[in-house]
Amino acid sequence: MNVKTTMVLVVLLILGLGYLIWQYGDFSGEKDKPTPADKRLTPKVGKVTRLAIETPRVGKIVLAGDGDTWRLVEPVDAPAVGYEAGGTVTDVTTLEYVQKYAPDDPDRPKQTRLADPLRIVTFTDETDKTTTLRVGAKVPLDNRRTYVQIEGDDNIYVVDVDLADRLGKTASDYRDKKLLDFDTDKAVRVTVTGEKSYQLIKSDGRWAIDKPVAARADASKVSGLLSDLSGLRAEKFDNDDPKELAGYGLSEPIATVTVELAPAEPKTTPADAPTQPAKGQVLSIAFGASADSKAETVFAKLGDRPWVFQVKKSRLADIPRLLDLRDKAVLDLAGGEITGIESTLDAEGSMKLVKEDGQWKMVKPFPGPADAAADDLARAIKDLKATEFQDSPASLAAYKLDPPRGKIVLDLRGKGQTVSLLLGGTSASGEMAFVQPAGAKFVAVVSADDYSKLLKAGREYWSRRFTDLPAGAEVTEVTLDRPDGTFTLQRDEKGDLKLTAPVAAPVDRANADAVVNALTSLKADTVAALEQELPKRFAQAKSIRVALTYRVPLPPEPPATAPATGTAPTTATAPTTATAPATATAPATAPAEPVVRYKTGTVGPLLVAKDNGRSFVWERDAKPVAVGELGGGLYDKLNAELRQRKVLTVDADKVAAVRLTSGNLTTELKKIADRWILSEDPHVQIDAEKVSEFLKGLDIQADRFVDYSDKPDLKRFALDEPETVLELKLEGDKTATLKLARTGPVATAARYATGGDVPGVFVLDEDTVKKVRKGLKDFKK
């Protein structure tokens, strides 16, 4: 192409652009002028009730509205999404123009597509006023603006929006994907047919299974099913008027779910008008074949509409099995509080508990207090759940329910009736068990663990508490009749415990506190026996007899008040006596200390025995007698040494000589200044540090006392001829002597001993004996 030709083409291009700018541009400055105050394009209308959007040669969408509720009328009759329809109504009823061309306007554009519009929009308000808009092309060189014309108005308007695009939504965009929109609380019947077939009915506000068996339904599971159905949405609408359904798998659906709603509240009718049973709305949906290669969706169809659409396949799986919908509670106790439990077991006999004023009491086998375990039994019965049901069994004997192993009868407050539960056997593995509500047509299969909670003997519900002192109570005296004597602890005026028998002596504080604490609130782990007479096993056991006294402070008495004279009533205006100062000579009298008053009480006598490492406690002379079982610690605490066990305290720096005799050997050491020497041979080198360590180790504590008297029978404990004698010479010619026997308690390495700082005979354990038994070799360098 030569230069001349190129220049000609450039000139033609410039001329063409100039023409377009002249034709469609605004050189008059109109765009830059301030717009009039009212640029409203569409006339003001009332609430729009109908909206039609036509795309020539493509189709029409018609929407009908009633308040905030909208429906598609064309191309299909179906619910519409309210906010989508409302948004389009707002778009077309609030249009404002940015430019207006009158018919005689020399700048009136010609290529507007308003004669052959892209969209025709017609909307009608509640007064039947109709407005039609013709939407033309976009303004050249400005894709944000569109030519618009109102039917009956010859002016051409420019709006600042791509209106054809804004009105380009399809019917599917307006269509509501929600399929079964209903109030779940108004559902009264649900029917499922297909692979899972059953029917649920609602009566008196409660759901029940009607078919294939009559049983209670789990209200929460039914509520979940209804919520899933109410929220079901279409993923895609495939065919609004199918000629056949077989191709969608809907001629014989995989499953069909039908929901019947309660009828609407009846309107007022004349009294003599014939009454017809009202019927509620019935909704149903059928599920067909897979709709895609990945089997993520299935075809579905509503019962009262021809449409075929797709829903997620998981929604089909969400339809629960009958067993999942069944109430797993074995007994129907809704709304009734258990106030009585009577249990009859083949192996244990009869037991009955009643609840009065919120507290359980035992009636059988003996009247008396019940343990909190009664609440556990009531809870176990109420919470008993089946893992499966055997409906209409051919033989109850196969479940060991003919005859049953036992029976539990419940009294229910609020229902005015009794409910019975029959107890059967266990499965072959022992992991499951069988029970049946009396009169039921099914056998419930429950876990063996839950079943075992129903089989406890009556004694396990008797009160396990043997002492329960009032709040604020203080133990003032404890008496223990033990195999080794009678021991009494008393609390003095300062509140300290003292040992008063078998000897008045300081007390071992730790052991005494352990006794008091154990007896203040004594509760057994379990009741080992509950009988009219004490079992022989316990009657023959060596036991400790326990009795205690306690006191509870009473509220102080109100101060005494002088009686009113009646002749000089007190008035609100009377001045106080604070205006008369006290004289310096008047002695101030301190207020008297209030006298503390107490209420006293006693507990016991109780008996405590030990057998096979366990402690057992019962109340003497009680009828019936309940034997509580605890850990062995209780008996050991009551049998521990209560006298202070410190028998020898030595200040090593104040010891002047040590004489230690063991058998025929005697070692005697003397202290000279800071040196220790062997008395019979000063040439032997004695290690002063070893002597000091020995003396410091003589802070000796007895394991227990075996004789508390001032003059014990030493021969009885082989202390008349002791094996080891320790003599210490202290400053001021004081001496301390400790004697150890060659024997001790049977089968122990402990030894009997006497002397030290306290009278009597006591036992020293093996480690302490080793500290005392020393020889010359232990002190040599």
Side-chain angles (χ1 to χ4, degrees), residues 238-239 242 244-256 285-291 298-303 305-311 316:
D238 290 89
N239 194 332
E244 55 85 25
L245 296 175
Y248 302 101
L250 289 168
S251 57
E252 296 182 1
I254 296 174
T256 301
I285 182 169
F287 299 89
S290 294
V298 296
F299 292 113
K301 178 185 177 300
L302 297 178
R305 292 290 186 271
W307 323 322
V308 173
F309 45 85
Q310 297 180 29
V311 297
L316 181 59

Side-chain angles (χ1 to χ4, degrees), residues 1-15:
M1 184 181 293
N2 56 35
V3 176
K4 183 176 180 180
T5 303
T6 302
M7 292 297 294
V8 170
L9 291 175
V10 170
V11 171
L12 291 174
L13 179 60
I14 292 172
L15 292 174

Side-chain angles (χ1 to χ4, degrees), residues 403-430:
R405 177 179 178 179
K407 182 178 181 179
I408 296 176
V409 180
L410 307 176
D411 292 322
L412 301 180
R413 177 186 296 145
K415 283 204 164 188
Q417 65 183 62
T418 60
V419 176
S420 299
L421 179 67
L422 305 180
L423 307 177
T426 57
S427 62
S429 67

Side-chain angles (χ1 to χ4, degrees), residues 147-324:
Y147 292 118
V148 181
Q149 195 168 39
I150 300 176
E151 189 171 289
D153 183 349
D154 292 334
N155 295 312
I156 295 175
Y157 298 90
V158 176
V159 294
D160 196 13
V161 62
D162 186 352
L163 193 56
D165 180 67
R166 184 74 64 87
L167 298 174
K169 293 178 181 177
T170 65
S172 181
D173 294 327
Y174 289 106
R175 193 167 185 174
D176 194 347
K177 303 297 190 299
K178 199 168 185 180
L179 301 168
L180 298 173
D181 189 7
F182 63 94
D183 185 349
T184 58
D185 290 336
K186 292 185 178 179
V188 295
R189 187 185 304 270
V190 178
T191 305
V192 177
T193 58
E195 295 178 356
K196 307 168 185 176
S197 294
Y198 50 83
Q199 181 169 276
L200 306 167
I201 59 173
K202 188 177 184 181
S203 177
D204 296 330
R206 299 183 65 186
W207 282 100
I209 299 172
D210 183 51
K211 297 177 182 178
V213 296
R216 298 187 315 278
D218 187 324
S220 63
K221 296 294 180 64
V222 177
S223 178
L225 169 61
L226 292 172
S227 294
D228 288 342
L229 291 171
S230 177
L232 193 63
R233 296 179 63 85
E235 298 298 310
K236 177 184 177 183
F237 288 94
D238 290 89
N239 194 332
D240 289 325
D241 189 19
K243 302 305 180 185
E244 55 85 25
L245 296 175
Y248 302 101
L250 289 168
S251 57
E252 296 182 1
I254 296 174
T256 301
V257 182
T258 302
V259 179
E260 181 181 335
L261 305 180
E265 292 293 331
K267 297 181 179 179
T268 303
T269 56
D272 57 351
T275 58
Q276 296 292 333
K279 293 184 178 180
Q281 184 181 6
V282 177
L283 309 171
S284 79
I285 182 169
F287 299 89
S290 294
D292 63 334
S293 58
K294 295 182 179 180
E296 294 180 348
T297 60
V298 296
F299 292 113
K301 178 185 177 300
L302 297 178
D304 60 346
R305 292 290 186 271
W307 323 322
V308 173
F309 45 85
Q310 297 180 29
V311 297
K312 289 183 178 179
K313 190 174 183 179
S314 60
R315 290 301 193 181
L316 181 59
D318 286 342
I319 301 174
R321 298 178 304 150
L322 178 62
L323 180 61
D324 295 333

Side-chain angles (χ1 to χ4, degrees), residues 573-583:
T573 58
T576 65
T577 58
T579 56
T583 61

Side-chain angles (χ1 to χ4, degrees), residues 97-119:
Y97 64 89
V98 296
Q99 194 166 356
K100 173 182 177 183
Y101 297 99
D104 57 351
D105 192 329
D107 297 327
R108 182 181 175 98
K110 297 179 175 54
Q111 304 298 323
T112 62
R113 288 285 307 267
L114 289 171
D116 180 20
L118 300 177
R119 304 279 190 271

